[in-house]
């Protein structure tokens, strides 16, 4: 989850050490089925999206879901992420003309369709596109590979390296300080900033570093535009709202939760409280795994779950990370929104 880099007193990057260890271990002992499935979640999701309704039935039906969890050693009590009726990329291509700017242009960004937002959190992506367009930004797309985050988390470094090289080759020509690359899932887009410069060949290292400087979580991008005065509270609600935020571990380690706080505080009567929690307990796939489920829930009970349960029904629970929102749902039965959803819903 990268929590080690911000929470360890010595700032030891256990995540990188673990990935390297697993890489070496799997070379000698083979890659388990569950590891392959989780690492290749992007490719499996593409297959699932051929028949999303049928896929969702299989993930929610007690019999089929139970068999799948048993085969992959997923915790029986863990709910599974479901698929949207279409991919975000499919929606974007169908609605690109409607997203054309009808207001003065403030800038252009490229959007990274990560393998979580593109298949599972499509509604968040749709709101992000509509929000950016209404605020005066042109949102562009160029065909690209998956982020490789899932491969890195499971120690499949060579596969992650291949994806990193492909993405650097694609984006290095288009991305610069005036035209950044933005993404919704922190762990995916921050791979450009953290691991990519170390994964590419030496000849591409400078290109990867330059690209890394211009890749942002969408929260960061909007916060920077607020600071420049390009986005103001004038377009947003005057209603009063209370919000509790759980920051993503990658965000805490490689960025800052302040960007999420700043964008949700833009509506003048929105008040944001940062929950002083560490890792939610999910840590990517860790919380899904049968042998880790109880520990995962115990981690959530340290700070996060009690803070969410103590919030009244009108308080908005916000979390940038896909797995964080899923953990909150399973642990407290409360729905958590992405900060972008909170800001989009405040548009007037």
């Amino acid at each position: 989850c990268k929590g080690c880099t911000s929470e360890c007193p010595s700032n030891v990057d256990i995540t990188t050490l673990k990935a390297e260890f697993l890489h070496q271990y799997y070379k000698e002992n083979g890659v388990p089925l569950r590891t392959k499935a989780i690492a290749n979640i992007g490719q499996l999701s593409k297959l699932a999206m051929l028949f999303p309704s049928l896929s969702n039935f299989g993930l929610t039906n007690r019999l089929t879901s139970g068999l799948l969890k048993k085969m992959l050693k997923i915790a029986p009590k863990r709910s599974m992420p479901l698929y949207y009726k279409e991919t975000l990329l499919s929606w974007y291509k169908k609605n690109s003309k409607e997203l054309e700017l009808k207001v003065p242009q403030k800038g252009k960004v490229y959007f990274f369709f990560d393998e979580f937002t593109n298949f599972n959190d499509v509604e968040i992506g749709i709101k992000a596109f509509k929000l950016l367009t209404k605020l005066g930004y042109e949102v562009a797309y160029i065909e690209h590979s998956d982020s490789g985050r899932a491969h890195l988390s499971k120690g499949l470094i060579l596969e992650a390296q291949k994806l990193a090289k492909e993405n650097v080759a694609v984006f290095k020509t288009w991305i610069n300080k005036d035209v950044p690359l933005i993404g919704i899932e922190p762990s995916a887009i921050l791979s450009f900033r953290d691991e990519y410069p170390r994964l590419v060949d030496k000849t591409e290292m400078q290109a990867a570093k330059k690209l890394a400087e211009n890749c942002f979580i969408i929260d960061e991008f909007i916060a920077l535009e607020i600071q420049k005065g390009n986005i103001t509270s004038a377009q947003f609600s005057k209603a009063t709202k209370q919000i509790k935020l759980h920051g993503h571990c990658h965000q805490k380690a490689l960025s800052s939760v302040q960007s999420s706080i700043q964008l949700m505080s833009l509506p003048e009567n929105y008040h944001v409280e940062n929950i002083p929690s560490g890792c939610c307990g999910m840590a990517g796939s860790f919380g899904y795994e049968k042998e880790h489920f109880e520990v995962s829930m115990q981690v959530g009970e340290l700070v996060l779950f009690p803070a969410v349960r103590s919030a009244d029904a009108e308080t908005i629970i916000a979390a940038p990370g896909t797995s964080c929102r899923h953990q909150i749902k399973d642990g407290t039965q409360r729905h958590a929104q992405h900060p972008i959803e909170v800001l989009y819903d405040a548009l007037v």
Side-chain angles (χ1 to χ4, degrees), residues 286-306:
F286 179 88
Y288 286 97
E289 296 164 0
K290 183 178 179 181
E291 66 272 26
H292 298 140
F293 177 76
E294 293 301 330
V295 172
S296 170
M297 302 309 284
Q298 288 169 14
V299 171
E301 290 291 355
L302 292 174
V303 176
L304 178 59
F305 293 168

Side-chain angles (χ1 to χ4, degrees), residues 109-136:
V109 299
Y110 277 91
F111 189 89
F112 186 73
F113 288 76
D114 68 77
E115 50 269 41
F116 311 103
T117 309
N118 194 34
F119 301 112
N120 307 107
D121 295 326
V122 175
E123 289 175 292
I124 298 173
I126 292 172
K127 289 183 177 181
F129 274 106
K130 290 181 176 179
L131 174 67
L132 289 167
T133 302
K134 188 161 186 178
L135 292 175

Side-chain angles (χ1 to χ4, degrees), residues 66-98:
L67 289 172
L68 178 65
K69 290 176 180 178
K70 186 174 182 180
M71 181 175 67
L72 296 178
K73 298 180 181 178
I74 301 296
K77 294 181 181 178
R78 178 66 72 186
S79 64
M80 302 293 283
L82 301 180
Y83 295 101
Y84 194 64
K85 60 185 178 182
E86 62 179 331
T87 66
L88 179 60
L89 182 56
S90 172
W91 178 90
Y92 170 77
K93 289 179 176 179
K94 287 193 296 187
N95 293 274
S96 57
K97 289 187 177 180
E98 294 180 21

